[in-house]
Coordinates of all heavy atoms in Angstrom, one line a residue:
V33 N -278.8 118.2 -188.7 CA -277.6 119.0 -188.6 C -277.9 120.3 -187.8 O -277.0 120.7 -187.0 CB -277.1 119.4 -190.1 CG1 -276.0 120.4 -190.0 CG2 -276.7 118.1 -190.8
G34 N -279.1 120.9 -187.9 CA -279.4 122.0 -187.1 C -279.4 121.7 -185.6 O -278.9 122.5 -184.8
R35 N -279.9 120.5 -185.2 CA -279.9 120.1 -183.8 C -278.5 119.9 -183.4 O -278.1 120.2 -182.2 CB -280.7 118.9 -183.6 CG -282.2 119.1 -183.7 CD -283.0 117.9 -183.2 NE -282.7 116.7 -183.9 CZ -283.3 116.1 -184.9 NH1 -284.3 116.8 -185.5 NH2 -282.9 115.0 -185.4
I36 N -277.6 119.3 -184.2 CA -276.2 119.1 -183.8 C -275.5 120.4 -183.6 O -274.8 120.6 -182.7 CB -275.5 118.2 -184.9 CG1 -276.1 116.8 -184.9 CG2 -274.0 118.3 -184.7 CD1 -275.6 116.0 -186.0
A37 N -275.8 121.4 -184.6 CA -275.1 122.7 -184.4 C -275.6 123.4 -183.2 O -274.8 124.0 -182.4 CB -275.4 123.6 -185.7
G38 N -276.9 123.3 -182.9 CA -277.4 123.9 -181.6 C -276.9 123.3 -180.4 O -276.5 123.9 -179.4
A39 N -276.8 122.0 -180.4 CA -276.3 121.2 -179.2 C -274.8 121.6 -179.0 O -274.4 121.8 -177.8 CB -276.5 119.7 -179.4
L40 N -274.0 121.6 -180.1 CA -272.6 121.9 -179.9 C -272.4 123.4 -179.5 O -271.5 123.7 -178.7 CB -271.8 121.7 -181.2 CG -271.7 120.2 -181.5 CD1 -271.0 120.0 -182.9 CD2 -270.9 119.4 -180.5
T41 N -273.3 124.3 -179.9 CA -273.3 125.7 -179.4 C -273.6 125.7 -177.9 O -272.9 126.4 -177.1 CB -274.2 126.5 -180.2 OG1 -274.0 126.4 -181.5 CG2 -274.1 128.0 -179.7
A42 N -274.5 124.9 -177.4 CA -274.8 124.8 -176.0 C -273.7 124.3 -175.2 O -273.3 124.8 -174.1 CB -276.1 124.0 -175.8
V43 N -273.0 123.3 -175.7 CA -271.8 122.7 -175.1 C -270.7 123.7 -175.0 O -270.1 123.9 -174.0 CB -271.3 121.4 -175.8 CG1 -270.0 121.0 -175.3 CG2 -272.3 120.3 -175.6
A44 N -270.5 124.5 -176.1 CA -269.5 125.5 -176.1 C -269.8 126.6 -175.1 O -268.9 127.2 -174.4 CB -269.3 126.1 -177.5
T45 N -271.1 126.9 -175.0 CA -271.5 127.9 -174.0 C -271.2 127.5 -172.6 O -270.7 128.3 -171.8 CB -273.1 128.2 -174.1 OG1 -273.3 128.6 -175.4 CG2 -273.6 129.2 -173.1
L46 N -271.5 126.3 -172.3 CA -271.2 125.8 -170.9 C -269.7 125.7 -170.7 O -269.2 126.0 -169.5 CB -271.9 124.4 -170.7 CG -273.4 124.5 -170.7 CD1 -273.9 123.0 -170.6 CD2 -273.9 125.4 -169.6
L47 N -268.9 125.4 -171.7 CA -267.5 125.3 -171.5 C -266.9 126.7 -171.3 O -266.1 126.9 -170.4 CB -266.8 124.7 -172.7 CG -267.0 123.2 -172.9 CD1 -266.4 122.7 -174.2 CD2 -266.4 122.4 -171.7
V48 N -267.3 127.7 -172.1 CA -266.8 129.0 -171.9 C -267.3 129.6 -170.6 O -266.5 130.3 -169.9 CB -267.2 129.9 -173.1 CG1 -266.8 131.3 -172.9 CG2 -266.5 129.4 -174.4
A49 N -268.5 129.4 -170.2 CA -269.0 129.9 -168.9 C -268.3 129.3 -167.8 O -267.9 130.0 -166.8 CB -270.5 129.6 -168.8
G50 N -268.0 128.0 -167.8 CA -267.1 127.4 -166.8 C -265.7 128.0 -166.8 O -265.2 128.2 -165.7
L51 N -265.2 128.3 -167.9 CA -263.9 128.9 -168.0 C -263.9 130.3 -167.4 O -263.0 130.7 -166.6 CB -263.4 129.0 -169.4 CG -262.0 129.4 -169.7 CD1 -261.0 128.4 -169.0 CD2 -261.7 129.5 -171.1
T52 N -265.0 131.1 -167.6 CA -265.1 132.4 -167.0 C -265.2 132.3 -165.4 O -264.6 133.1 -164.7 CB -266.3 133.2 -167.5 OG1 -267.5 132.4 -167.2 CG2 -266.2 133.4 -168.9
L53 N -265.9 131.2 -165.0 CA -266.0 131.0 -163.5 C -264.6 130.6 -162.9 O -264.2 131.1 -161.8 CB -267.0 129.9 -163.2 CG -268.4 130.3 -163.4 CD1 -269.4 129.1 -163.2 CD2 -268.8 131.5 -162.5
L54 N -263.8 129.8 -163.7 CA -262.5 129.4 -163.2 C -261.6 130.6 -163.2 O -260.8 130.8 -162.2 CB -261.9 128.3 -164.0 CG -262.5 126.9 -163.8 CD1 -261.9 126.0 -164.8 CD2 -262.3 126.5 -162.4
V55 N -261.6 131.5 -164.2 CA -260.8 132.7 -164.2 C -261.2 133.6 -163.1 O -260.3 134.3 -162.5 CB -260.9 133.3 -165.6 CG1 -260.2 134.7 -165.6 CG2 -260.2 132.5 -166.7
G56 N -262.4 133.6 -162.7 CA -262.9 134.5 -161.7 C -262.4 134.1 -160.3 O -262.4 134.9 -159.4
L57 N -261.9 132.9 -160.1 CA -261.3 132.5 -158.9 C -260.0 133.1 -158.6 O -259.5 133.2 -157.4 CB -261.2 131.0 -158.8 CG -262.5 130.2 -158.9 CD1 -262.2 128.7 -158.9 CD2 -263.4 130.5 -157.6

Side-chain angles (χ1 to χ4, degrees):
V33 174
R35 287 193 308 266
I36 291 170
L40 291 175
T41 305
V43 168
T45 299
L46 294 176
L47 289 174
V48 173
L51 188 62
T52 61
L53 290 174
L54 286 176
V55 170
L57 295 175

